Amino acid sequence: MPGCLLDTLAGQRTARRPVWLMRQAGRYLPEYRDLRAQKGGFLELVYDSEAAAEVTIQPIDRFGFDGAILFSDILIVPHALGQDLWFEAGEGPRLAPPLVDGAWEGLERAFRHFEPIYRTVTLVRGRLGPETTMLGFAGSPWTVATYMVAGQGSKDQGAARSLAYRDPSAFASLIGAIEAATIEYLLGQIDAGAEAVQLFDSWAGSLSPAQFEQWVIAPNARITAVIHERRPGIPVIGFPKGAGAKLPAYARETGVDGLGIDETTDPLWIDGELPDGMPVQGNLDPMLLLAGGPALEDAARGILAAFSGRPHIFNLGHGIDKSTPIPHVERLLEIVRGEG
Ligand code: 1CP
């Protein structure tokens, strides 16, 4: 029996609104911090399937979310494509060599890095009750490319944006390589037990409209089409963060089954723009969850009301902040579940 999250993605309006939170596994949970300290680091945790399965399930045990998002990272695909990957304490990810000219062909592929991730999915699926949906994920090619080209995170994604203008064919080749690896990776997650997958395009908002068509919509449409063709019935959630006015085109043209929306999007506006019955996911500001109090409660109720006429998965507009107090999460869940 599928849970209400899968029913919602199939276009049904369920009695209770399904809810999960982006980055629901992570540093705001003391049980995560303990395990991370024991294992020595983030990547050590990700590649240890037993530990990653435990971290994936921690927020389900504590809060009973309707979806369990695989504990991993979007940068596993660059690692598998042959870049070195590590995390600098207090700074963030580093990838070497940076692909300033987009030349990925010389890298030595290491698709074996996908194997422990698949094992995590299988372990988690085996331990979840049928009411909880196992969510796989990957980064979208554009967002993954921004890290591969710069060799790290960046404020304006300038290195990738300028390469895409300077040498569009080299950039298209890099996007194509990421796309192919992402398809293989998502199919592998599905075969291991993922029941839906999300494409995170965290930097979709940094592109001009024409570039958005080329580097966001087109690759996501191709990935979604292959998943639909080869694993029929597995829904794809697209999350083009920052897409704003380009969201309706993204929803129409990619073929995704559900649309993730960030906190800068007005729920009433997007509800009016999307086709009737299209499932949406979002979009509470993570800073409201951090702040708590009446502002949080009013905003949560406003989102529930705005999306009461279509299938809706309650979520944040972006990842939960690491300083979020746990009682605020508990209060939010009471509101979403109609208990308070
Ligand atoms: O413990 C730690 O210090 C590590 C922090 C951390 C965590 C918990 C990183 C490093 N990644 C993750 C897990 C993660 N990342 C998940 C799974 C768990 C969950 O959602 O509960 C997911 C889905 C991601 C996705 C991810 N990684 C994105 C897309 C979503 C988003 O937040 O925009 C991005 C951009 C990354 C890259 C990344 N990984 C980690 C960091 C700190 C970053 C961002 C780097 C930057 O500042 O650009």
Side-chain angles (χ1 to χ4, degrees):
M1 202 198 45
C4 64
L5 200 158
L6 284 178
D7 289 340
T8 301
L9 284 171
Q12 294 170 35
R13 279 164 57 203
T14 54
R16 197 171 59 69
R17 219 68 73 89
V19 52
W20 68 280
L21 303 180
M22 287 187 277
R23 295 273 172 108
Q24 64 190 19
R27 282 180 293 183
Y28 74 109
L29 290 178
E31 56 269 38
Y32 170 81
R33 292 194 299 267
D34 287 351
L35 195 58
R36 188 183 186 282
Q38 259 178 50
K39 294 289 168 184
F42 171 68
L43 265 192
E44 286 74 9
L45 211 47
V46 164
Y47 284 132
D48 177 334
S49 307
E50 209 23 85
E54 192 177 329
V55 171
T56 305
I57 294 172
Q58 282 172 348
I60 311 303
D61 285 346
R62 194 188 259 274
F63 301 115
F65 291 122
D66 297 291
I69 179 108
L70 166 67
F71 186 78
S72 179
D73 198 80
I74 65 165
L75 301 176
I76 300 308
V77 164
H79 205 197
L81 283 170
Q83 277 182 306
D84 285 337
L85 170 67
W86 71 99
F87 286 81
E88 289 287 343
E91 289 191 31
R94 293 289 182 274
L95 295 152
L99 302 183
V100 277
D101 298 318
W104 58 275
E105 294 86 349
L107 298 174
E108 196 178 326
R109 288 169 176 245
F111 277 29
R112 66 180 182 282
H113 291 313
F114 291 155
E115 296 300 328
I117 313 291
Y118 300 153
R119 275 199 297 282
T120 304
V121 174
T122 302
L123 285 173
V124 174
R125 183 54 276 172
R127 290 175 195 172
L128 292 175
E131 70 288 353
T132 311
T133 299
M134 177 69 218
L135 299 165
F137 77 92
S140 288
W142 160 250
T143 287
V144 172
T146 66
Y147 290 95
M148 293 186 77
V149 173
Q152 59 184 59
S154 59
K155 273 209 291 286
D156 60 0
Q157 297 74 56
R161 285 164 59 212
S162 76
L163 174 62
Y165 284 124
R166 202 169 69 240
D167 192 345
S169 74
F171 193 69
S173 161
L174 174 61
I175 289 284
I178 300 169
E179 188 183 305
T182 301
I183 287 170
E184 169 162 343
Y185 184 45
L186 290 175
L187 293 175
Q189 291 182 31
I190 292 165
D191 292 343
E195 299 164 280
V197 293
Q198 175 154 322
L199 288 163
F200 284 87
D201 222 338
S202 306
W203 303 118
S206 62
L207 292 172
S208 70
Q211 298 269 297
F212 184 86
E213 280 284 337
Q214 193 173 4
W215 307 124
V216 172
I217 291 183
N220 285 308
R222 291 191 294 262
I223 293 169
T224 303
V226 175
I227 289 175
H228 284 162
E229 185 193 315
R230 298 189 41 196
R231 299 296 183 276
I234 299 292
V236 178
I237 305 168
F239 176 51
K241 184 171 148 26
K246 305 185 214 74
L247 277 168
Y250 177 97
R252 270 194 317 273
E253 296 171 28
T254 56
V256 292
D257 301 274
L259 180 69
I261 53 181
D262 69 50
E263 68 276 10
T264 66
T265 303
D266 177 352
L268 291 170
W269 170 77
I270 192 68
D271 185 57
E273 292 290 324
L274 292 179
D276 279 351
M278 170 145 201
V280 293
Q281 175 176 281
N283 74 335
L284 186 83
D285 189 339
M287 288 304 117
L288 276 167
L289 192 57
L290 179 71
L296 164 64
E297 302 193 4
D298 290 351
R301 291 187 211 283
I303 291 167
L304 290 166
F307 293 131
S308 59
R310 68 169 64 246
H312 172 224
I313 299 163
F314 198 98
N315 205 319
L316 300 175
H318 197 203
I320 188 168
D321 186 273
K322 65 177 189 306
S323 306
T324 303
I326 285 171
H328 295 185
V329 179
E330 292 167 344
R331 181 69 191 123
L332 172 67
L333 289 174
E334 284 174 1
I335 293 168
V336 175
R337 292 173 177 158
E339 296 159 358

